[in-house]
């Protein structure tokens, strides 16, 4: 018993088909083969779509469930494991501003489990300091003497830290908001 949508087709040859050689430059031969691959792929996909259309609705439900599961799995993985971005990092840094306003300094603690390597600290968008390495649980203290501006000019000794960013090859952190909170804490009236 055969189903009405099925038919048998014979494609037997009496002798093997000779392979046609494409003459000419390499680009023309590659284009010819690429064209064959695209056409064959299109044909296979067309057959698969036709087979899917002829399947019963329960198979289509199952296929929809599997497709939904694949989409949700990929989305969950993308959300749970995002790549590191130089715009959203935080490096697990904690900032402490010196309470000696006449001798400004800022201490940055590495509260992560990773070693910070090749860190550049940018203060007020114009002064920079470089730190080779900060181990987990350790800190680095930055004073105006360590900060260099354009042309190698050192920062003024009474520099007020208004913005602070850190960058490394692996991550970055914008600690400006933490710096503002520290300033509010220092300038608040003592009780």
């Amino acid at each position: 018993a055969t189903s009405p949508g099925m038919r048998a087709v014979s494609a037997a040859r009496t002798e093997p088909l000779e392979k046609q050689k494409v003459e000419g430059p390499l680009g023309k031969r590659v284009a010819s083969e690429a064209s064959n691959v695209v056409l064959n792929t299109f044909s296979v996909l067309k057959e698969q779509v036709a087979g899917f259309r002829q399947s019963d609705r329960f198979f289509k439900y199952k296929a929809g469930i599997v497709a939904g599961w694949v989409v949700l799995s990929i989305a969950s993985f993308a959300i749970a494991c995002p790549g590191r971005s130089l715009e959203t990092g935080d490096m697990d840094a904690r900032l402490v501003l010196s309470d000696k306003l006449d001798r400004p300094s800022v201490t940055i603690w590495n509260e992560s489990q990773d070693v910070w390597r090749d860190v550049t600290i940018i203060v007020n968008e114009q002064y920079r300091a470089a730190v080779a390495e900060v181990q987990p649980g350790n800190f680095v203290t930055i004073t105006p003497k360590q900060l260099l501006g354009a042309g190698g000019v050192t920062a003024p000794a009474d520099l007020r830290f208004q913005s602070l960013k850190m960058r490394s090859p692996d991550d970055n952190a914008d600690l400006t908001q933490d710096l503002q909170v520290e300033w509010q804490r220092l300038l608040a009236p003592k009780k």
Side-chain angles (χ1 to χ4, degrees):
T2 60
S3 71
M6 302 292 286
R7 62 185 175 149
V9 177
S10 173
R13 296 191 185 274
T14 57
E15 58 186 61
L17 186 62
E18 286 187 32
K19 196 157 183 141
Q20 294 178 352
K21 281 193 166 187
V22 177
E23 300 291 328
L26 179 65
K28 186 176 180 183
R29 289 182 282 173
V30 169
S32 173
E33 285 302 314
S35 163
N36 287 339
V37 169
V38 168
L39 289 174
N40 288 340
T41 304
F42 181 71
S43 174
V44 168
L45 288 174
K46 188 176 174 182
E47 289 173 8
Q48 293 296 324
V49 168
F52 183 76
R53 284 185 179 165
Q54 291 176 356
S55 62
D56 64 350
R57 69 177 177 187
F58 296 108
F59 176 78
K60 291 177 182 177
Y61 290 152
K62 290 177 192 176
I65 290 168
V66 170
W69 175 79
V70 168
V71 168
L72 288 174
S73 296
I74 291 170
S76 298
F77 185 74
I79 291 169
C81 302
R84 289 192 168 193
S85 169
L86 284 179
E87 294 156 8
T88 59
D90 69 346
M91 297 176 73
D92 291 326
R94 180 172 51 97
L95 180 134
V96 179
L97 194 60
S98 167
D99 57 355
K100 296 181 170 104
L101 298 177
D102 59 331
R103 300 187 68 174
S105 70
V106 64
T107 301
I108 305 166
W109 289 84
N110 180 356
E111 293 188 337
S112 73
Q113 301 297 317
D114 301 323
V115 177
W116 295 342
R117 286 189 170 78
D118 301 323
V119 178
T120 302
I121 298 170
I122 304 147
V123 176
N124 297 353
E125 301 291 335
Q126 60 184 346
Y127 299 106
R128 297 176 187 268
V131 179
E133 181 176 286
V134 181
Q135 292 291 325
N138 287 350
F139 62 90
V140 60
T141 301
I142 301 297
T143 64
K145 289 182 184 179
Q146 296 167 294
L147 297 168
L148 295 177
V153 177
T154 58
D158 61 347
L159 176 74
R160 178 175 171 150
F161 293 85
Q162 295 175 338
S163 72
L164 192 140
K165 295 178 182 176
M166 295 188 334
R167 291 192 182 127
S168 75
D170 298 326
D171 206 355
N172 80 328
D174 186 348
L175 301 173
T176 303
Q177 187 173 3
D178 296 342
L179 188 64
Q180 299 305 323
V181 169
E182 279 292 299
W183 274 113
Q184 288 174 2
R185 180 187 62 82
L186 287 176
L187 298 175
K190 304 289 183 208
K191 294 181 181 181

